Amino acid sequence: MITNDTTAADPPVDYPFGPFVPRPENPVLRPGRHDWEASNVYNPAAIRVGDRIALIYRAHADDIISRFGLAWTDDGIHLETEPAPILVPEHDYERFGCEDPRVVRIGGTYYLTYTGWDRHTARLCLATSTDLRSWHKHGPMVPGINTFAGVRETPGPEWSKGGVILPEPVDGRYLMWFGEGNIHLATSTDLLHWQPDPTPVLRPEPGTFMGDLVETGPQPIRTRTGHVLLMHNSAVLRPGGGVYYACGQVLIDPHRPNVVVAKLTEPWLEPSTREDRHGLVDNVTFVEGLVNHRGTWFAYYGQSDTTIGVATFTPADHLSAAPEQP
């Protein structure tokens, strides 16, 4: 039985957020337990449920048709997976995969954003649930927008991914940042119908680790100053072929949610281990899950589209408040 979490909201954080350190136990999840996840597990969303963490992770076999699995952990490190997928392709717009989930809980409802993939166009989609296992799909969220506009060509006229929703409304509206290529803003009054802004909030910056694309990371969080901290994934195309994905952070004024007021000039997480550097797509750390659990922040990420790793950060104020050990 899954129960609603009645604990307080996540504590506000400082900017820059971290440092996060990859755990020596990585990978914390590998493929191979069931046929539908026999080849790859990666890019998980994460959310606290009671005193446990739930991971909704992307998985597939050799056919590379993604489904979502559900895993649980008490300590943030050791995971137990459920045997059946919780979300699978059903409609034409997602017939070749449900990919790259992000999840947030508002009231008693979980809002899951994901990419519907038909091997031609990527579409940001929405599903809702009250128990993390049974989902109602609401379809594509921002039809007609192409977040790669001005960056590079896409197979069709629209392209969207990676919706991350701020759990509390600001000035009467819910805020969602989304996009691959560029990152955009969308707003809503009911969490189901979204109005996108065609002008990007964040664009690639040639010559930096954000050189060729930016994409949203996990759900946004609040800082002590009242700003919104948005983690993001960024890629550089390598001259000899391939990509290099690292993770950054930007700070946003929630009352001007289309304005970045600060950004990291260096990544807080990048490929450093064998699993980060070798897999289905080499040289990728791609963060999508972030949760505060027992005073420690856990950032879950895909390692080269093949395994799942986690990096942790325990704020100094939590350490100072902890009782001394005998």
Side-chain angles (χ1 to χ4, degrees), residues 89-112:
E90 299 173 276
H91 306 288
D92 283 347
Y93 59 81
E94 59 183 14
R95 64 182 179 273
F96 286 111
C98 300
E99 303 180 353
D100 295 349
R102 279 87 163 173
V103 67
V104 67
R105 181 178 48 248
I106 302 172
T109 300
Y110 296 95
Y111 293 83
L112 179 76

Side-chain angles (χ1 to χ4, degrees), residues 56-79:
I56 300 174
Y57 61 95
R58 176 181 175 183
H60 56 72
D62 289 340
D63 59 7
I64 317 185
I65 297 178
S66 293
R67 299 164 174 83
F68 292 160
L70 181 61
W72 297 91
T73 175
D74 293 320
D75 62 5
I77 304 297
H78 301 92
L79 293 161

Side-chain angles (χ1 to χ4, degrees), residues 7 30 34 59 68 77-78 88 104 107 136 155 159 171 173 188 191 196 205 218 239 262 275 297 299-300 308 317:
T7 58
R30 297 178 183 270
H34 311 289
F68 292 160
I77 304 297
H78 301 92
V88 300
V104 67
H136 174 70
W159 191 278
D171 300 331
R173 302 177 302 167
S188 175
L191 292 164
E205 298 182 7
E275 288 83 7
W297 288 93
Y300 294 92
I308 291 173
D317 56 359

Side-chain angles (χ1 to χ4, degrees), residues 5 7-10 46-50 52-54 105 291-293:
D5 184 5
T7 58
D10 287 336
I47 193 163
R48 190 180 62 245
V49 181
R52 294 192 295 170
I53 298 172
R105 181 178 48 248
V291 65
N292 183 274
H293 185 57

